Amino acid sequence: MAGSPTSPEGSDDRPVGRSVGVNRRTLAKGAGLASLLGLAACGPQGITGLGGRPTQPLAGPTPSIQPQGEILGNGSARVALLLPLTATGNAGQVGPSFRNAADMAIAALGGDGITVIVKDTGGTPQGAAAAASQALAEGVQMVLGPIFAAEVRAVGGVTQAAGVPVIAFSSDATVANSNVRLLSFLPSSDARRIVNYAVAQNRTSMGALLPNNAYGQIMEAEMRQAAANAGLQVAVIQRYDLTTIAIQAAANEIAQQRDRFNALFVPEAGDVMVSIAQGLASGGLTPQNTLFLGSGQWEDARVQNSPALAGAVYPAPPRAQFQDYVTRYRARYNSEPVRISSLGYDAVTLAAALARAGNGRIDPAMLSASSGFSGIDGIFRFLSNGVSQRGLAVYRVTGAGTEVASAAPRSFQGEF
């Protein structure tokens, strides 16, 4: 297992909490767009364009400035990949894993389509802005990264005027806009998927047990929005501080109100989640009498193997392609990938596919395809505000792992 790097000081990102690694609690048609990444990962593929209209080939750029940084691939379209390669602390572990993921994607593409210029941000906003400025001077058509929110915000300020699109990896939705799109695991996708699942199970009212911190506030807002959209009543909200006494008191308090709801949302992680489940059980609230709903934080063996959570459900990306990615990563680098490094693989593959579609020119308008794209972690699309929406699976905890409760969708048609 890879470590769990924390965000650099000043980052708004929250821990990702998905398997093999990193944090998210502090972190079209025809041949094409709907299955673009899955196809392109196996070799060069064409696309027919946007909304059924053929994309007009654009003249490829001819950048003359010699790029600075590690070069991956040899295509005519230049793309920058901004990573905290020399950041201090655990954050510095993330950059190399993303770099390796990009290298894998280029190898799968045969090396053509794009040239990826890997640039070090040092893990700071100043370093990220400098790397972005250098990349623009070198003629890049797209910026991939950075990973952390403060760096993404700095890069967006540099690229906006130039009209160069950014595909970043932060889980802080406040840094997204029409030019900065987030290819990440966002709380909004978790909330939407698990709330819609609860409604499909004929649940009509929901309670929530939330940490009394910024992450809890974000999850509450996303949960309330998803519930309002789905017609699910939010009956009880109980908050807790991260101390044993406070957690037990909050668990007991909401358990005493269990007649007010038939689903309970608890987006917590690891040992804290297990402790909460045990506290709820002591108050008579269990997955056997109430549908327990989790978040992507539950993609954790401690949660999945907890008898107190057997029968509870949570959203997460479909696993098949990611497991194949991990196998290939291990074989190539003899190490474990950081969990979210698959985002780097998909970003590079997406950029290469767009470059091929534009005859060497990346058209940012194609990123807005409502049918979306398909990558290692399932389908995704970018909304007009720059955040991504994902098609997640729902897994049921068995106490000895998980089983699929609801498969991930293969398209964005309908609710899921």
Side-chain angles (χ1 to χ4, degrees):
M1 296 286 285
S4 294
T6 55
S7 304
E9 183 179 358
S11 170
D12 297 323
D13 293 274
R14 298 160 296 284
V16 171
R18 302 187 190 272
S19 62
V20 198
V22 91
N23 274 322
R24 176 169 102 181
R25 228 168 112 182
T26 94
L27 213 171
K29 306 248 182 186
L33 285 179
S35 58
L36 179 58
L37 294 185
L39 293 173
C42 299
Q45 301 287 334
I47 62 176
T48 57
L50 198 59
R53 294 179 290 105
T55 299
Q56 296 299 317
L58 302 173
T62 55
S64 58
I65 298 177
Q66 182 65 29
Q68 301 298 307
E70 182 182 11
I71 306 301
L72 304 176
N74 55 15
S76 61
R78 289 183 178 179
V79 172
L81 177 60
L82 309 187
L83 301 173
L85 298 173
T86 60
T88 58
N90 288 337
Q93 299 176 16
V94 185
S97 194
F98 268 80
R99 177 269 168 207
N100 291 347
D103 184 47
M104 285 175 60
I106 290 293
L109 292 163
D112 62 357
I114 59 172
T115 293
V116 175
I117 309 167
V118 183
K119 292 186 178 295
D120 181 25
T121 69
T124 69
Q126 296 80 7
S133 295
Q134 185 182 69
L136 293 180
E138 294 166 356
V140 301
Q141 298 184 52
M142 178 178 280
V143 172
L144 310 180
I147 298 172
F148 300 112
E151 295 182 58
V152 175
R153 192 173 287 111
V155 167
V158 172
T159 59
Q160 182 71 43
V164 172
V166 177
I167 305 296
F169 310 120
S170 169
S171 60
D172 182 353
T174 66
V175 301
N177 55 51
S178 60
N179 190 65
V180 177
R181 297 168 176 85
L182 298 183
L183 179 63
S184 42
F185 302 116
L186 298 174
S188 55
S189 286
D190 278 3
R192 179 175 183 267
R193 180 61 163 119
I194 204 63
V195 164
N196 285 339
Y197 176 82
V199 170
Q201 302 305 305
N202 299 315
R203 305 298 162 149
T204 56
S205 60
M206 179 169 60
L209 188 55
L210 303 168
N212 191 23
N213 55 23
Y215 174 70
Q217 294 171 4
I218 290 168
M219 290 308 302
E220 178 178 354
E222 298 295 354
M223 174 206 66
R224 286 187 181 278
Q225 183 63 60
N229 291 342
L232 184 66
Q233 178 191 12
V234 179
V236 181
I237 299 287
Q238 184 70 43
R239 299 174 181 82
Y240 58 87
D241 294 323
L242 289 174
T243 68
T244 300
I245 293 175
I247 287 171
Q248 293 302 311
N252 182 69
E253 178 65 26
I254 202 166
Q256 300 311 306
Q257 303 179 67
R258 60 184 178 273
D259 60 338
R260 299 180 59 189
F261 52 86
N262 49 28
L264 178 66
F265 181 53
V266 193
E268 191 48 87
D271 292 331
V272 175
M273 185 62 236
V274 173
S275 178
I276 288 173
Q278 293 168 345
L280 292 170
S282 68
L285 191 58
T286 71
Q288 283 65 56
N289 56 41
T290 302
L291 180 62
F292 281 17
L293 310 172
S295 69
Q297 303 280 18
W298 285 24
E299 191 77 331
D300 183 309
R302 291 168 293 181
V303 174
Q304 297 163 359
N305 295 329
S306 170
L309 286 167
V313 294
Y314 69 95
R319 295 173 180 160
Q321 291 194 63
F322 177 73
Q323 290 170 343
D324 174 70
Y325 164 75
V326 171
T327 298
R328 290 186 290 125
Y329 189 104
R330 288 170 179 162
R332 190 175 181 92
Y333 302 107
N334 195 32
S335 62
E336 294 290 327
V338 167
R339 174 58 183 90
I340 60 170
S341 64
S342 58
L343 302 177
Y345 187 105
D346 283 351
V348 168
T349 309
L350 173 59
L354 295 179
R356 286 197 305 275
N359 192 29
R361 182 71 175 266
I362 294 175
D363 181 0
M366 298 187 72
L367 293 169
S368 300
S370 61
S371 52
F373 311 93
S374 178
I376 287 176
D377 295 302
I379 61 173
F380 65 91
R381 62 182 174 185
F382 298 109
L383 304 183
S384 59
N385 60 0
V387 302
S388 60
Q389 186 179 71
R390 288 188 170 274
L392 303 175
V394 174
Y395 293 96
R396 182 180 295 110
V397 175
T398 65
T402 63
E403 61 188 12
V404 176
S406 177
R410 296 186 177 182
S411 77
F412 282 102
Q413 295 181 350
E415 289 296 319
F416 49 84

